[in-house]
Amino acid sequence: MSGLESSIFQGAAPIRFEDHRHLRFSDSEDYRFAARLTEVPLAFTEWVSAARHYPVVFSGPEPGSLDRAIAILKLAPGDLNPFLCADNGHWQANHYIPQHLRFYPFTVKMTSPTTPVLMAVIEAPHFSDSVGEPLFTKTGEMA
């Protein structure tokens, strides 16, 4: 995972039937997990939508390389995220929500160029043993 991803996906683990057979998922519009983020990575397909709401910068691992687009959410780590509603954690109405945030608590890690592994932050409030949709069928397949 890159440095940008690690801040919200720190501790993400592979989702496996052996470990998570009773786990349930509930979707949430609470984005308080993103309160401390100053930026989020953008997929190529969302550059235009994101640029309507956030400054977008391009960076890369080497000086002069511009292989990554990043939406700037706030300028300093101590600042409040202006896109979060303080009372309920919802994203501000009529503002694009980057897919990096919409996919939380799920992420994909490539273990080889052709092998993706679905991972999740199991400690996220989206998961429960009793509330929500099951992640797996009784036979161990993803639901």
Side-chain angles (χ1 to χ4, degrees):
M1 284 183 273
S2 75
L4 288 172
E5 295 169 330
S6 65
S7 59
I8 61 173
F9 291 109
Q10 188 171 22
I15 297 177
R16 300 185 322 198
F17 179 71
E18 301 80 25
D19 299 328
H20 307 112
R21 72 183 71 206
H22 300 294
L23 204 58
R24 295 176 165 273
F25 175 78
S26 296
D27 200 7
S28 174
E29 292 184 10
D30 187 339
Y31 290 93
R32 283 180 269 219
F33 66 86
R36 294 186 176 169
L37 296 179
T38 55
E39 71 267 336
V40 293
L42 297 171
F44 173 75
T45 56
E46 60 182 342
W47 289 1
V48 172
S49 297
R52 291 183 179 126
H53 302 277
Y54 317 101
V56 174
V57 297
F58 295 87
S59 70
E62 301 294 326
S65 68
L66 303 175
D67 62 348
R68 172 181 281 215
I70 299 167
I72 304 299
L73 301 179
K74 59 184 183 175
L75 296 178
D79 292 347
L80 296 174
N81 184 331
F83 302 103
L84 283 178
C85 296
D87 58 338
N88 60 13
H90 289 189
W91 209 252
Q92 289 287 342
N94 301 317
H95 282 79
Y96 178 77
I97 304 171
Q99 74 178 19
H100 188 74
L101 303 178
R102 290 190 316 251
F103 290 171
Y104 182 85
F106 297 101
T107 189
V108 174
K109 180 179 181 180
M110 297 301 291
T111 57
S112 76
T114 58
T115 309
V117 174
L118 181 62
M119 303 187 54
V121 179
I122 304 302
E123 295 78 25
H126 302 71
F127 294 114
S128 165
D129 286 336
S130 58
V131 178
E133 298 296 320
L135 290 182
F136 293 98
T137 65
K138 292 181 180 184
T139 60
E141 296 179 16
M142 292 293 283

